[in-house]
Amino acid sequence: MNLSATTNTFKKISTDILAVFVFHDKKLFSHTLASIKENIEITGFGPASQKDFSAKEGEHHLLYSDNKNIPRVVLIGLGDVKSFSVEKLRRASATASKKANGLKAKSLSIDCTSVLDSFKLQPEAIATAIAEGSLLSLYAYDKYLTHKKTRTLKNISLVALHSRDVSEVNKGLQYGKLLANATNHARDLENAPGSEIYPETLAKNAQRTGRDHGFSVTIFNKSKIRSLNMGGVLAVSKGSVHDPRFIVMEHGRSHKKNGTIVLVGKGVTFDTGGISIKPSANMAEMKMDMSGAAAVIGTMQAAAQLKLKKHLIGLVPAVENMPSGSAVKPGDIIRHYNGKTSEVDNTDAEGRLILADALSYADKFKPSVVIDLATLTGAVVVALGHYATGMMGNDQDVMNALRNAGENTYERVWQLPMFDEYEKQIKSDVADVKNVGGRWAGAITAAWFLKKFIGEYRWVHLDIAGTAILESDQDYSPRGGSGVGVRLLTEFLQQWK
Ligand code: BES
Ligand code: ZN
Ligand code: ZN
């Protein structure tokens, strides 16, 4: 997609469709309308149209004109000016882009001057939101479809800008495009079937991403994993014909003096539950049980492209969780990388077993902060649904920063408590810890399990089970893998001192 910015006004542009962002408020609405009518010979928009469309949030209205340079105009409602937000702009841009593409337009011009004129928001931030909303909403996973979903739209241009805003707007557009591309890469990994993405191919993807965008990647194979005594990774992968991999990614080594941030992503390329097998309904979703890994790979891509001045390590334990004669069994006891033991009470609580190794391995880098992302529990979906990621950890400053990043990107996180009392639920009689904590507070007891394996660092755990896997379309995220985490973490990394 080609994104551009121009000072050209309606008289000078030529486009398949022009989208005009309109506020619900009477004065602003009629002002915008007057300027359109003055410049473009619109067929209609009389009293009936005005009754049908009043620029409420989520509304749009298509008009035709006799002007061959601007044959179509779509009015996009932004709702009340008082409750305007950057997120509403992402959604409005998604509406405009999907409408344009649906009409088989090749070019879309967007008039967002109502937004630029009404708010003190940086033009750059406005442009980023428009690029994100547009490019994320046009995503489709059609790799295996013989008849691809049509994607005609090739050019999006923000028009009628003040000349002083053009260069900032261009910067913002490119930044939004970079974030959307990294997020869409994560979505591709999530949506790919388990037959295509298994530990070896997930590792290959990380390697190619590193080559393409300039971060380094080291892959540990099964014998290296064995020599490191990563007992959780070995145990969970035992039942599968696919050997495990442990992926280590690195960016910005020269900035080490400012501290190291480690990102850890759960990479279960398919989760059948193992011997504690899952019911068959919706099991196909478990191809996305590597969404944490996808988020980390996508974030490494964004960080490298942005040349972030931060030392970043990405760790992904990658396994397939299968039942078979060689699979790990309930009652088995595992010894993890740091020497601690865990009792496997349920083989479907496999994510924490592989993360235990990765989190204790992270200590080796003497990190200032470690953030893990995992589709860890169904319990977090029960608690928060699909609109917030569950957040737990041992450092309030990092959690506050992530919460802020979540508000800015609208990849929102919500903190759950880690009260000491919950720890009792994962006590084992035969090992240092048990991998399940009973029926209640499943997301929290899972985090408590992880906490047993962290090192001397500030740590935050993000349970993305509800936000990574979407059952139905959201404004700019089609159902399936959402790519959640990439924009959140990139924003966090930019802001974190
Ligand atoms: N991958 C699942 C969690 C999950 C569930 C992710 C639904 C996305 C949507 C995880 O490995 C799992 O199976 N967890 C169990 C833990 C239980 C056995 C303690 C769960 O949540 O049921
Ligand atoms: Zn599981
Ligand atoms: Zn899982």
Side-chain angles (χ1 to χ4, degrees):
M1 182 74 72
N2 182 39
L3 303 176
S4 60
T6 172
T7 54
N8 287 346
T9 53
F10 299 161
K11 292 245 187 274
K12 285 209 184 131
I13 60 171
S14 172
T15 184
D16 292 336
I17 181 163
L18 168 69
V20 182
F21 290 160
V22 201
F23 285 106
H24 174 59
D25 307 64
K26 262 211 174 79
K27 240 172 100 185
L28 289 168
F29 188 129
S30 50
H31 176 78
T32 311
L33 209 61
S35 100
I36 300 171
K37 283 190 165 165
E38 195 185 307
N39 291 289
I40 309 164
E41 308 92 82
I42 289 174
T43 343
F45 214 77
S49 301
Q50 297 199 31
K51 221 172 120 208
D52 294 351
F53 176 80
S54 60
K56 290 203 190 98
E57 199 187 325
E59 279 186 356
H60 69 271
H61 189 77
L62 183 64
L63 298 163
Y64 294 96
S65 93
D66 292 330
N67 180 337
K68 68 179 185 334
N69 289 327
I70 308 178
R72 299 174 196 84
V73 176
V74 62
L75 305 176
I76 308 283
L78 288 175
D80 291 329
V81 75
K82 280 200 204 85
S83 57
F84 177 75
S85 68
V86 169
E87 174 63 7
K88 290 187 183 171
L89 195 53
R90 291 191 193 96
R91 294 178 185 180
S93 309
T95 306
S97 293
K98 282 191 280 191
K99 188 73 194 170
N101 197 61
L103 291 165
K104 298 194 170 46
K106 291 195 190 71
S107 55
L108 162 68
S109 289
I110 297 179
D111 172 18
C112 59
T113 51
S114 61
V115 180
L116 283 164
D117 292 346
S118 310
F119 296 92
K120 291 202 179 65
L121 276 171
Q122 297 293 326
E124 190 174 343
I126 288 170
T128 296
I130 292 173
E132 287 175 325
S134 294
L135 300 184
L136 290 172
S137 72
L138 293 172
Y139 174 85
Y141 185 73
D142 59 5
K143 182 174 174 185
Y144 289 95
L145 290 178
T146 305
H147 302 287
K148 305 285 181 223
K149 307 226 165 109
T150 15
R151 167 86 181 264
T152 56
L153 195 60
K154 293 279 178 318
N155 293 291
I156 299 177
S157 180
L158 305 198
V159 301
L161 300 169
H162 292 297
S163 56
R164 61 166 190 268
D165 291 341
V166 169
S167 82
E168 271 212 48
V169 164
N170 265 320
K171 251 183 26 205
L173 288 174
Q174 291 316 310
Y175 181 57
K177 181 174 167 175
L178 184 153
L179 291 174
N181 286 345
T183 302
N184 287 339
H185 177 209
R187 289 172 170 182
D188 276 343
L189 283 170
E190 294 174 282
N191 292 326
S195 59
E196 178 188 324
I197 290 292
Y198 42 90
E200 182 190 352
T201 52
L202 183 65
K204 285 233 163 80
N205 186 287
Q207 224 153 19
R208 180 153 31 84
T209 308
R211 246 196 332 268
D212 290 350
H213 300 288
F215 60 87
S216 67
V217 181
T218 310
I219 309 292
F220 299 165
N221 62 13
K222 187 176 171 187
S223 66
K224 173 75 176 172
I225 291 168
R226 201 187 284 118
S227 73
L228 288 170
N229 296 313
M230 292 182 163
V233 176
L234 290 169
V236 177
S237 63
K238 269 201 319 180
S240 171
V241 296
H242 294 297
D243 280 349
R245 293 289 187 276
F246 192 91
I247 309 170
V248 183
M249 296 165 274
E250 182 172 24
H251 160 80
R253 188 197 281 265
S254 61
H255 304 291
K256 214 173 181 167
K257 54 187 180 305
N258 304 321
T260 299
I261 298 176
V262 178
L263 305 175
V264 180
K266 170 177 172 181
V268 176
T269 59
F270 197 89
D271 182 13
T272 63
I275 296 297
S276 316
I277 197 162
K278 287 180 179 296
S280 42
N282 301 323
M283 204 207 269
E285 280 184 358
M286 287 300 117
K287 69 178 183 180
M288 293 180 266
D289 208 19
M290 31 55 69
S291 295
V296 171
I297 294 169
T299 305
M300 295 300 298
Q301 169 178 332
Q305 283 191 290
L306 290 165
K307 299 193 166 47
L308 276 193
K309 293 190 173 65
K310 296 262 156 59
H311 185 221
L312 248 195
I313 299 285
L315 301 178
V316 170
V319 299
E320 184 182 64
N321 188 20
M322 294 289 280
S324 84
S326 60
V328 67
K329 296 173 290 295
D332 284 357
I333 296 173
I334 298 169
R335 191 176 292 280
H336 293 275
Y337 177 77
N338 66 351
K340 280 193 187 170
T341 58
S342 72
E343 176 191 1
V344 181
D345 200 32
N346 186 319
T347 65
D348 196 12
E350 83 298 338
R352 61 198 78 181
L353 298 176
I354 64 169
L355 290 171
D357 290 331
L359 286 169
S360 46
Y361 186 74
D363 209 28
K364 180 177 120 75
F365 299 96
K366 302 202 181 351
S368 53
V369 179
V370 176
I371 301 170
D372 77 75
L373 297 95
T375 46
L376 205 61
T377 67
V380 87
V381 194
V382 174
L384 300 174
H386 295 287
Y387 303 113
T389 290
M391 174 168 71
M392 287 142 276
N394 66 5
D395 187 273
Q396 200 56 47
D397 288 341
V398 183
M399 288 193 280
N400 290 346
L402 278 162
R403 175 166 172 161
N404 249 322
E407 298 298 327
N408 293 344
T409 56
Y410 224 65
E411 293 193 345
R412 291 168 298 175
V413 299
W414 200 259
Q415 189 175 347
L416 300 174
M418 287 278 281
F419 300 138
D420 290 343
E421 285 81 352
Y422 293 109
E423 187 185 0
K424 293 200 287 277
Q425 291 178 231
I426 52 168
K427 240 184 95 39
S428 165
D429 293 334
V430 292
D432 297 334
V433 63
K434 189 171 67 171
N435 83 328
V436 293
R439 176 135 182 232
W440 310 117
I444 297 170
T445 53
W448 255 109
F449 182 96
L450 300 180
K451 194 169 181 221
K452 299 269 182 190
F453 293 90
I454 63 171
E456 292 291 310
Y457 49 68
R458 292 185 280 190
W459 159 75
V460 177
H461 159 61
L462 299 172
D463 193 335
I464 57 172
T467 47
I469 302 173
L470 303 180
E471 288 163 358
S472 52
D473 293 351
Q474 289 184 7
D475 301 271
Y476 46 84
S477 300
R479 73 182 290 262
S482 69
V484 75
V486 175
R487 290 190 302 117
L488 172 73
L489 291 175
T490 308
E491 170 78 5
F492 168 82
L493 291 170
Q494 305 248 49
Q495 303 301 335
W496 188 249
K497 68 255 173 202

